[in-house]
Amino acid sequence: MKHGLPFWNIVSSNQIRRNTTIPSPANLLFQAYTTLAVGGRGVSWYTYYSGAGQRGYAYAPIDKSGNKTDTWRYLQLVNRHIRTIGPMMNRLKSTGVFFTSPPPVEGLPLLPGRLLKEALSTASPAASPARSPR
């Protein structure tokens, strides 16, 4: 933010270590949405292929035989989400990254003010009065 440099985030699309979370739609979406929420302009997925010389990488989108896995299908879903909301999110400007109390590490900036219950925008297709509910 200080220098106005855009960034992409490279996030995990597999289980990097044996005791870490395995990929699911929820944790892949969390990584993608968090990146966009803090001002990231895009997401790249670390690593698509199982094996590839790395030890301990499991649940990769492409297995050792070159077949698409459930993780590949999860990424397909997440990438559709990013393609849909990314253009709206990329028009916004990040003003900072803040944490609720207590922060994960002492000294990080706390969220100023109060939490919002709802925010509406005319830029959102859902907020448009011309749209009828499905």
Side-chain angles (χ1 to χ4, degrees):
M1 284 177 35
K2 180 178 179 181
H3 299 287
L5 297 173
F7 74 94
W8 281 52
N9 194 16
I10 302 170
V11 294
S12 178
S13 67
N14 55 57
Q15 184 185 39
I16 294 179
R17 292 179 198 89
R18 191 179 348 194
N19 296 324
T20 59
T21 306
I22 63 172
S24 72
N27 65 35
L28 295 169
L29 281 165
F30 178 76
Q31 292 179 90
Y33 284 179
T34 301
T35 297
L36 295 176
V38 298
R41 297 299 184 219
V43 174
S44 181
W45 301 103
Y46 179 76
T47 183
Y48 265 81
Y49 297 95
S50 185
Q54 302 105 346
R55 292 182 53 130
Y57 288 61
Y59 302 95
I62 306 294
D63 68 19
K64 291 179 182 179
S65 300
N67 300 311
K68 295 174 183 174
T69 66
D70 286 340
T71 303
W72 187 90
R73 288 177 257 303
Y74 301 159
L75 286 178
Q76 189 177 35
L77 169 83
V78 173
N79 287 334
R80 280 191 205 123
H81 279 244
I82 294 170
R83 188 175 60 223
T84 301
I85 70 161
M88 284 186 262
M89 297 288 290
N90 277 331
R91 289 191 305 242
L92 303 174
K93 183 177 188 238
S94 179
T95 59
V97 176
F98 303 95
F99 300 87
T100 56
S101 186
V105 176
E106 191 174 323
L108 293 176
L110 293 179
L111 186 64
R114 300 176 314 172
L115 292 177
L116 290 176
K117 184 175 182 181
E118 181 180 43
L120 299 176
S121 168
T122 58
S124 167
S128 173
R131 265 183 86 134
S132 59
R134 293 183 187 186

